[in-house]
Amino acid sequence: FSAVGLEVVLYVAVGGGVGWLLDRWLGTGPWLLMSLLLLGVVGGSYRFVREGLAANRRVASEAADRRRAGQTPGGS
C-alpha cells in the first residue's frame, strides 16, 4: 500500500503544480490551481479506494480458498 499512498501524493502534487503553472501563464488567479488540485485529490482518493477494495477482494479470496482446503488461518 505504500506505493498507492505515494501515487495519491503525486496526483495532488502534479495537479497543483500544473494548475499553478497554468495560472501564472494565463493570469487566471488561483482558479486553475484550486480546480486541478481538487481534481488531483479526487483522482488520488479514487485510486486509493479502488486499490484498497482490490486488496480486500484478494485477501477474502485467499481466506476462502484456505477454508475450502481445510486449513486454519494460522497456516498449521
Side-chain angles (χ1 to χ4, degrees):
F1 276 107
S2 63
V4 176
L6 180 61
E7 285 183 26
V8 171
V9 171
L10 288 175
Y11 275 71
V12 174
V14 168
V18 169
W20 180 77
L21 288 172
L22 286 173
D23 274 337
R24 284 183 53 118
W25 181 50
L26 299 172
T28 54
W31 299 111
L32 290 174
L33 169 64
M34 291 190 307
S35 299
L36 292 178
L37 192 63
L38 180 63
L39 186 63
V41 168
V42 170
S45 298
Y46 174 76
R47 173 94 168 122
F48 183 77
V49 169
R50 195 176 71 183
E51 286 296 319
L53 291 173
N56 190 35
R57 281 192 297 272
R58 284 192 301 272
V59 169
S61 175
E62 291 169 3
D65 290 345
R66 281 194 305 272
R67 281 193 302 274
R68 273 188 242 114
Q71 296 176 347
T72 61
S76 48

